């Protein structure tokens, strides 16, 4: 076993023993090794484990939803972890202080139990702390892939950690390190890229942002979290989530071992080297075997070969889904999962049955105590490493970190670097570039469903699992329309409407200098986003046709993935892929109006039609509309 923290010179140890002994004689208490932060972490883990009863061990392996996490339940079941499912919040528009109060109450219950082991509270902070009202919402990972800027991505990890800690949360189920090989997958926007190397680059950046930097001497696989302003991270979904058949969520990834290791495994090596605290298993199967029961990949490869010493967690209710007839049996599923090497189970609601089943199986010898001890040691190792025993409670002073001006500036920077310019005037009559746009136009048209809707701009995993339309949902934020309004000259008249047939559009289109058309996908996550046609949803195509035939137009496409645009490309004067930019719409205006140049590069291949899928960079037959890495650039406008 490798390095541990601390300590100490012989004199310091001696002094400590004297002080401890004095304390003991005064208080009449015995020295408790696991409570001593000066002890090596492994010694603390072993000491605590040796004191634990079976029900306390099973409790550590149990993660329940916050709805169920009353003080009574936490105390009775010795619950080790609580989570917020997507959109599960203490109250509508809860403030950071309200979140902290909720977690403080849970933590008090956990600390009141016999051994006083703190809970670890987890949430999907996947593009900022996206469940929290007024949080800064960053672009989804596909947009971050387009920036090619690992330093930026690291700073986003740091900001996300602070915004999670603002709400008292020390653990995020992020980053998603999927290598999405088929954009028909609803989870594709959670992937930085189809290219393994680019996913590795961003994985190596965001994990130190979230958790803090490991030193060069840090032993591989040992979890690391650098204190109360960082959070424990979770690399997901292990492994092959982005490689399923036709991009169907949670389906079968059919690949040789060699190709699995070559395409989908490398980001996990990087995550482990950076000291990632946990790894979440994928719903998907590999060559017909559910990942949640794949002992070979979880135990032999991840834990033994890769030396991962943090904990392995299931996906939401995954144990309920692993068995197929004739073994459709929860009891059997639990056994398979734990046997495969899973340490913590995201149940999230049926904890009494889970706890009873595990206990019965341990008593019968169907689940070995060694396996339980391994699981609990890993969870405790993370809790000790991150200082939860010393600092179990939310830090009040951090509430001010939610949605700060600095974080919004950072998100704005990310937005402008993530936008990919796909067409700029080529094929127009005069052949001239259209972007950057003039701020001094007399009259312009802004049109489309996505021009003035923060919910659509943020996509899935925003305030709720699936995301939703609407300007109120995130609290603060700036729509693309608002950003355009604040960018252009005060005298410029802006007509805005969702659809050119309705609302305030002049009948005389000659009046407009240009139009900005903002259309795209509606929010989705996972299975609900699986899509076999990848067309621009209605009325997008109609809006593009109507407006672009009459006015010089720039189309801004808000989507989690490349959509089929070839049929409309000729009518457009310019086309910008904006991905799912989040709350800071100013970043879009920054590049449209030339305050900054376009620099984003496609993190994915942009196909002509879905018949070409799957098509990825490096394929022998490669005839996309725009290749991986494509992106026109512009220079900042000269305003002198
Ligand atoms: C947990 O909470 C859910 C949602 O409120 C509820 O449906 C379920 O019955 C609870 N589970 C238990 C065991 O109380
Ligand atoms: C959200 O931010 C706005 C603007 O700063 C503020 O007025 C409001 O009180 C905040 N709401 C919550 C719940 O923190
Ligand atoms: C994959 O999807 C097909 C079609 O929905 C389904 O029949 C099959 O069971 C799925 N396979 C897995 C491993 O989930
Ligand atoms: C494309 O697929 C989505 C998801 O299945 C569906 O909702 C939509 O209606 C389809 N669009 C077309 C044009 O077939």
């Amino acid at each position: 076993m490798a390095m541990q923290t601390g300590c100490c010179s012989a004199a310091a140890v001696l002094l400590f023993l004297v002080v401890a002994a004095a304390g003991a004689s005064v208080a009449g208490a015995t020295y408790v090794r696991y409570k001593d932060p000066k002890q090596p972490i492994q010694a603390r883990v072993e000491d605590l484990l040796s004191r634990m009863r079976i029900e306390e061990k099973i409790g550590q392996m149990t993660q329940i939803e916050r709805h169920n996490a009353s003080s009574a339940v936490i105390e009775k079941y010795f619950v080790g972890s609580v989570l917020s499912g997507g959109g599960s919040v203490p109250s509508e528009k809860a403030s950071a202080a309200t979140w902290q109060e909720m977690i403080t109450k849970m933590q008090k219950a956990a600390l009141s139990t016999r051994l006083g082991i703190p809970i670890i509270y987890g949430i999907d902070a996947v593009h900022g702390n996206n469940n929290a009202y007024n949080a800064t919402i960053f672009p989804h990972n596909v947009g971050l892939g387009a920036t090619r800027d690992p330093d930026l991505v690291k700073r986003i990890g740091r900001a996300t950690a602070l915004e999670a800690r603002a709400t008292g949360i020390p653990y995020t189920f992020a980053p998603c390190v999927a290598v999405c090989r088929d954009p028909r997958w609803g989870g594709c926007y959670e992937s930085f890229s189809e290219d393994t190397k680019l996913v590795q680059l961003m994985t190596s950046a965001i994990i130190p942002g979230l958790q803090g930097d490991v030193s060069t001497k840090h032993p591989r696989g040992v979890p690391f979290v650098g204190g109360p302003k960082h959070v424990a991270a979770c690399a997901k979904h292990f492994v092959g989530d982005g490689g399923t058949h036709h991009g169907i969520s949670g389906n079968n990834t059919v690949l040789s071992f060699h190709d699995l290791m070559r395409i989908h495994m490398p980001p996990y090596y990087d995550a482990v080297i950076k000291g990632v605290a946990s790894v979440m298993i994928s719903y998907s199967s590999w060559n017909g075997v559910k990942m949640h029961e794949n002992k070979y990949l979880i135990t032999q490869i991840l834990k033994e070969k890769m030396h991962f010493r943090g904990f392995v967690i299931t996906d939401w209710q995954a144990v309920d889904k692993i068995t197929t007839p004739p073994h459709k049996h929860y009891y059997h599923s639990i056994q398979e999962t734990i046997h495969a090497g899973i340490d913590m189970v995201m149940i999230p609601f049926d904890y009494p049955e889970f706890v009873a089943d595990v206990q019965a199986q341990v008593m019968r010898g169907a689940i070995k105590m060694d396996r339980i001890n391994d699981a609990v040691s890993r969870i405790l190792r993370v809790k000790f490493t991150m200082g939860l025993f010393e600092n179990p409670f939310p830090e009040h002073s951090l509430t001010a970190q939610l949605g700060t001006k600095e974080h919004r500036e950072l998100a704005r920077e990310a937005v402008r670097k993530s936008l990919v310019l796909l067409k700029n005037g080529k094929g127009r009559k005069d052949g001239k570039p259209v972007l950057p746009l003039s701020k001094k136009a007399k009259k312009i048209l802004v049109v489309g469903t996505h021009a003035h809707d923060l919910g659509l701009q943020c996509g899935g995993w925003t305030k709720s699992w699936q995301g939703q339309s609407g300007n109120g949902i995130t609290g603060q934020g700036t729509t693309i329309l608002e950003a355009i309004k604040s960018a252009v000259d005060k005298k410029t008249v802006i007509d805005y409407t969702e659809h050119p047939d309705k609302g305030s559009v002049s009948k005389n289109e000659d009046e407009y200098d240009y139009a900005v058309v903002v259309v795209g996908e509606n929010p989705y996550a996972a299975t609900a986003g699986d899509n076999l046609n990848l067309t621009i949803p209605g009325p997008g195509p109609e809006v593009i046709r109507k407006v672009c035939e009459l006015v010089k137009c720039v189309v801004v496409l808000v989507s989690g993935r490349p959509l089929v645009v070839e049929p409309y490309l000729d009518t457009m004067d310019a086309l910008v892929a904006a991905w799912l930019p989040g709350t800071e719409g100013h970043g879009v205006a920054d590049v449209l109006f030339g305050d900054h140049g376009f620099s984003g590069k496609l993190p994915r291949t942009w196909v002509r039609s879905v018949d070409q899928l799957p098509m990825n960079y490096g394929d022998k037959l490669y005839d996309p509309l725009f290749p991986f890495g494509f992106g026109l650039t512009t220079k900042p406008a000269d305003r002198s």
Side-chain angles (χ1 to χ4, degrees), residues 439-442 485-494:
K439 291 185 174 183
K440 297 217 156 89
K442 279 207 195 72
K485 280 184 178 166
S486 76
V488 296
D489 197 272
K490 282 192 199 73
K491 291 193 214 103
T492 303
V493 176
I494 300 178

Side-chain angles (χ1 to χ4, degrees), residues 319 330-340 361 364 366-367:
V319 176
Y330 193 51
Y331 191 89
H332 172 82
S333 304
I334 290 171
Q335 187 179 348
E336 285 293 302
T337 314
I338 299 199
H339 188 64
Q361 298 200 45
R364 288 178 51 218
I367 296 175

Side-chain angles (χ1 to χ4, degrees), residues 618-634:
D619 287 0
K620 278 204 197 80
L621 287 173
Y622 193 67
D623 175 32
L625 184 60
F626 302 109
F628 174 86
F630 183 80
L632 302 171
T633 54
T634 58

Side-chain angles (χ1 to χ4, degrees), residues 245 248-253 283-285 288-290:
H245 175 70
I248 299 170
S249 282
N251 208 260
N252 196 10
T253 297
Y283 285 132
S284 60
S285 300
V289 177
K290 289 259 191 257

Side-chain angles (χ1 to χ4, degrees), residues 93-96 133-134 402 475-476:
K93 302 188 181 179
S95 67
Y133 190 75
N134 270 353
L402 194 70
Q476 281 187 276

Side-chain angles (χ1 to χ4, degrees), residues 49 62 95 100 137 140 155 195 215 228 302 315 364 375 452 511 577:
L49 191 69
T62 304
S95 67
Q100 289 207 359
I137 307 295
H140 269 297
R155 287 182 283 137
D195 177 54
S215 80
L302 177 65
D315 207 330
R364 288 178 51 218
H452 187 47
E511 280 175 41

Side-chain angles (χ1 to χ4, degrees), residues 530-535:
D530 289 355
N531 185 316
L532 294 174
N533 58 64
L534 296 183
T535 54

